[in-house]
């Protein structure tokens, strides 16, 4: 990643559901909060792959939709 890439400086956190106890076998998503408030998601098995970015309003809306079913 280039030095000025905001993703190069973030701390990625792996889901607490990672591991064999939930049947996921370690397949997981990682998330990080960027300095500008956006939230990034990536596949923990392929961290070099693509990243999905959400702004705060988008993230709130997405979570509300998930909770609503």
């Amino acid at each position: 990643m280039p030095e000025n890439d905001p993703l190069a400086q973030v701390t990625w956190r792996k889901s607490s559901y990672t591991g064999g106890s939930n049947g996921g076998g370690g397949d997981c998503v990682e998330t990080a909060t960027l300095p500008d408030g956006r939230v990034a998601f990536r596949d923990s098995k392929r961290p070099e792959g693509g990243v999905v970015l959400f702004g705060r309003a988008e993230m709130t809306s997405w979570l509300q939709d998930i909770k609503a079913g």
Side-chain angles (χ1 to χ4, degrees), residues 19-31:
S21 64
N22 68 345
D27 298 342
C28 186
V29 69
E30 292 178 312
T31 184

Side-chain angles (χ1 to χ4, degrees), residues 6 10 23 27-28 32 34 42-43 47 52-53 56 61 66-67:
V10 298
D27 298 342
C28 186
L34 279 64
R42 70 181 182 184
D43 183 341
V52 177
L53 294 172
R56 283 290 177 191
S61 178
I66 290 171
K67 290 176 184 178

